[in-house]
Amino acid sequence: MADEPVQRGLQDVVALESQICFIDGKKGRLIYRGYDIRELAEHSTFEEVAYLLWYGRLPTSKHLDELRRRLGGLRELPEPVVRVLAEMPVNANPMDVLRTAVSALAVYEPAETQPGSSSIGGALRLTAVLPTILGYYHRRRAGLPPPEPNPALSHSAWILNAIRGTEGSELEIRALDVALILHADHELNASTFAARVTASTLSDLYSSVTSAIGTLKGPLHGGAAERVMELLEEVGSADRAEETIRAKLSRHERIMGFGHRVYKVEDPRATILREWSRRVGQAKGNLRYYDLLRRIEEVVHAERGLYPNVDLYSGSVYTLLNVPKDLFTPLFAASRVVGWTAHVLEEYQDLRLIRPTAQYVGLTDLSYTPIEKR
Ligand code: ACO
């Protein structure tokens, strides 16, 4: 393998076969198990999409009720994990908190962590409990009482309730539900790949999700939405967009929320979230973020021909839902956990250790010098 061309960042490398998610980067299409994301965002719920990703087919009403009932019943945190959370500094990074809590959970739930298990019990548990961890952490730092798991709420309503103490209006819940549907899976993105690499060693589901959370944290992946809101704060008003963006580009800075490894046209998730950003903004009488983002889009496209990705508009929707910006990436995790776990379960069905090779460019013929002679 010594003289094979190196595919930096594994770009365009087809690493495995999967039946979960298809991205057509040239046409801007995203498909979950055969269904176009636009149809799912229009008609389905997050729970339906979770069922689809895990089981490979849309649920009947009976299956969906059963799934909702099971998720609703798995929201409580074990007492020792609550104690782990209570020990964390209130200014800890929420993704560090999430990663640590999932890792700690594994210690107390050994039945769910059998390596190679094809049971979706662990997937349900992690999906149900991530919002509780977030809510617990956030409410504690805000000096508020801990979230009280309510099994009757939908996943999105529970997330809003766990963070804010109230699930809010139908529009708010639906806006979050659509955002979660759009984030639930995305083929072999970096965090899903990390989860599959971990699973491919026949490690367990909780370890795989812990790897994925650490990978999602980076600003080139899940951390971009938060940076977009920082950009909006920096730009301030639409008339300053051109000057600010041009200055950044001339300093070779990346504009967060633009560009994608796979999409060569607009990310279909950005198209849907743009509309939701407008819809929620209008309902709340605040179109400032939407207008500013539209202007930034025009400038970035004119200057570099780049298209928005999913992260450009998600932060504006979350901000309008009163979710603090350091919880955007954890929210992403609370949705993508479905994709991670679906991929891990698929990995176990067709297991092959993921272990690429490197092109060695170092030295080979040095002779050892005793330490006293160096
Ligand atoms: N701002 C400015 N220039 C950009 C951007 C951007 N957001 N994205 C790509 N470019 C430029 C690069 O500078 C590069 O230019 P060059 O060839 O003159 O050096 C060219 O476009 C190609 O960029 P690459 O880095 O090779 O593209 P890659 O496929 O590796 O990058 C990535 C994809 C990491 C998403 C990139 O577009 C980026 O950094 N975007 C900003 C971060 C972001 O929004 N991330 C969220 C992605 S979606 C998600 O993970 C959920």
Side-chain angles (χ1 to χ4, degrees), residues 231 234 240 243-255 304:
L231 176 68
E234 188 183 338
R240 288 203 55 239
E243 174 198 342
T244 315
I245 298 296
R246 279 190 172 184
K248 284 183 170 295
L249 290 172
S250 69
R251 292 193 299 268
H252 303 288
E253 282 180 35
R254 292 197 172 217
I255 312 300
R304 287 287 191 277

Side-chain angles (χ1 to χ4, degrees), residues 9 77 86 95 98 105 130 135 207 234 246 288 303 328 346:
L77 275 171
M95 286 299 277
L98 203 59
L105 204 60
L130 289 198
S207 299
E234 188 183 338
R246 279 190 172 184
R288 193 179 145 255
E303 293 289 320
F328 296 173
E346 187 179 63

Side-chain angles (χ1 to χ4, degrees), residues 220-294:
L220 296 189
H221 189 9
E226 189 178 340
R227 305 297 203 288
V228 171
M229 289 315 285
E230 285 162 8
L231 176 68
L232 293 194
E233 282 157 20
E234 188 183 338
V235 171
S237 59
D239 59 337
R240 288 203 55 239
E242 187 163 353
E243 174 198 342
T244 315
I245 298 296
R246 279 190 172 184
K248 284 183 170 295
L249 290 172
S250 69
R251 292 193 299 268
H252 303 288
E253 282 180 35
R254 292 197 172 217
I255 312 300
M256 294 291 135
F258 289 90
H260 200 276
R261 176 63 65 81
V262 184
Y263 294 114
K264 302 304 165 207
V265 293
E266 180 163 295
D267 180 336
R269 303 168 300 174
T271 317
I272 299 166
L273 279 175
R274 182 192 290 117
E275 177 51 19
W276 274 96
S277 173
R278 193 195 60 75
R279 213 179 278 182
V280 181
Q282 204 153 43
K284 301 222 169 211
N286 178 3
L287 284 168
R288 193 179 145 255
Y289 302 124
Y290 174 80
D291 291 340
L292 209 45
L293 286 166
R294 290 296 281 159

Side-chain angles (χ1 to χ4, degrees), residues 90-151:
V90 286
N91 60 353
N93 178 299
M95 286 299 277
D96 291 340
V97 172
L98 203 59
R99 194 191 58 238
T100 307
V102 168
S103 195
L105 204 60
V107 177
Y108 300 102
E109 298 183 350
E112 299 296 1
T113 60
Q114 290 309 308
S117 163
S118 59
S119 142
I120 74 149
L124 288 167
R125 171 61 169 153
L126 289 176
T127 304
V129 88
L130 289 198
T132 320
I133 298 169
L134 281 185
Y136 189 94
Y137 157 79
H138 173 64
R139 294 178 65 76
R140 181 171 158 262
R141 74 177 173 177
L144 296 166
E148 284 175 27
N150 176 349

